Amino acid sequence: MTTQKPAASALPGADYFDQWYADIADSTSRDALVARVLGLPAHLRSTSLLTWQGIAEMTERLRVPHGGLLLDIACGRGGYGIEIAHRTGARLIGVDFSATALRQAGAAAAERLPAGRAEFRVGTLLETGLAGGTADALMCVDALQFAAPPLAGLHEFRRVLRPGGRLAVTCWEAVEPGDPLVPPRINAVHLLRDLTAAGFADVEVQERPDWRQAERTLWETVVGQPDPDAAMRSLQEEGRRALETFGLLRRMFATATAP
């Protein structure tokens, strides 16, 4: 079954992503291409656009202690959170609203982490289902725009972090705020404003043109590939749309501390 990406103004739901993740699991080409372009090892099951160097930077900025609790919100197949937990010795809880993704994440964690070090739960950006003030670090890769509004997602992140807990978020913002050619959910993202409004301290927001260039390379590579399976066709469609308005978005990396 071919999975079509939703229209720019639509917010995809769990059913859409369940099928999307099922298609990826059946793909013989998608993961290999993404790993090659983003510089990722074959074992890391990526569903976002963070590079290998980006993972290293996120790990450093999260400062999660050995044995501490790391939350990966909108974790998808879990690849990034599993890698950071592997590097730091952290315990990992991943949250996503796709049950299919969570099953895949559990299988991936079993290959990379000791038994009992990771668990995956159904939840959303606004309702993680996690206890307040318990996490040492929280990561959210390329998904904050799906919180409606993003500020509400950041309030939830603040709620579940303990005092002194660290937050790392990757996302996109419009080059020109309010640009009608930019999807509304991206126009709603303003990391510096909303991290401050959500009560975080030590807020740092950086534009990352190097990460953005890696995205361009990925999309340009993808659109020229044959389309042997549904996952690759979906990725090609996403790439064509991304390239049409590529210059309208900027790539962002934000970190902060829960006071």
Side-chain angles (χ1 to χ4, degrees):
M1 176 178 177
T2 300
T3 299
Q4 299 283 332
K5 279 284 184 183
S9 60
L11 290 176
D15 290 344
Y16 162 79
F17 276 108
D18 281 342
Q19 184 59 60
W20 190 70
Y21 284 111
D23 288 344
I24 290 176
D26 292 336
S27 178
T28 59
S29 54
R30 180 196 183 280
D31 280 351
L33 186 147
V34 172
R36 174 168 58 84
V37 176
L38 298 183
L40 304 174
H43 66 75
L44 196 152
R45 296 175 174 90
S46 172
T47 45
S48 298
L49 296 169
L50 194 60
T51 65
W52 191 238
Q53 179 60 34
I55 295 171
E57 293 182 48
M58 179 170 279
T59 304
E60 179 181 2
R61 300 289 291 279
L62 280 169
R63 305 174 200 160
V64 58
H66 184 86
L69 177 60
L70 169 65
L71 305 181
D72 185 0
I73 307 302
C75 65
R77 297 190 292 172
Y80 295 118
I82 291 167
E83 179 62 29
I84 293 176
H86 176 76
R87 295 185 185 195
T88 62
R91 295 174 293 121
L92 174 66
I93 296 178
V95 174
D96 201 279
F97 69 174
S98 168
T100 300
L102 295 176
R103 287 192 294 271
Q104 295 176 14
E111 297 175 0
R112 292 285 290 164
L113 298 175
R117 275 260 303 278
E119 62 176 292
F120 298 92
R121 305 178 181 180
V122 174
T124 70
L125 290 155
L126 303 185
E127 297 182 358
T128 63
L130 303 169
T134 57
D136 296 285
L138 187 154
M139 56 187 287
C140 182
V141 177
D142 298 351
L144 182 63
Q145 70 274 15
F146 293 116
L151 176 58
L154 293 174
H155 275 297
E156 176 67 357
F157 298 171
R158 171 68 186 85
R159 184 187 69 80
V160 299
L161 282 166
R162 65 166 181 78
R166 292 284 291 168
L167 172 71
V169 174
T170 66
C171 201
W172 297 267
E173 292 181 351
V175 172
E176 297 292 339
D179 187 336
L181 297 178
V182 171
R185 61 177 175 269
I186 299 296
N187 266 323
V189 177
H190 191 310
L191 290 168
L192 181 59
R193 177 196 66 200
D194 287 350
L195 283 165
T196 302
F200 283 95
D202 304 321
V203 175
E204 296 185 32
V205 180
Q206 302 174 327
E207 182 176 358
R208 295 305 304 265
D210 53 335
W211 295 3
R212 189 68 172 144
Q213 181 56 46
E215 292 178 38
R216 180 185 286 276
T217 300
L218 175 63
W219 298 138
E220 290 177 343
T221 303
V222 162
V223 297
Q225 298 295 309
D227 55 349
D229 56 44
M232 183 62 80
R233 288 194 292 273
S234 177
L235 196 65
Q236 288 176 323
E237 291 161 7
E238 185 177 0
R240 292 186 186 102
R241 286 196 307 275
L243 289 170
E244 287 175 357
T245 57
F246 194 83
L248 304 182
L249 305 185
R250 56 187 190 140
R251 189 76 158 111
M252 309 304 294
F253 179 37
T255 57
T257 303

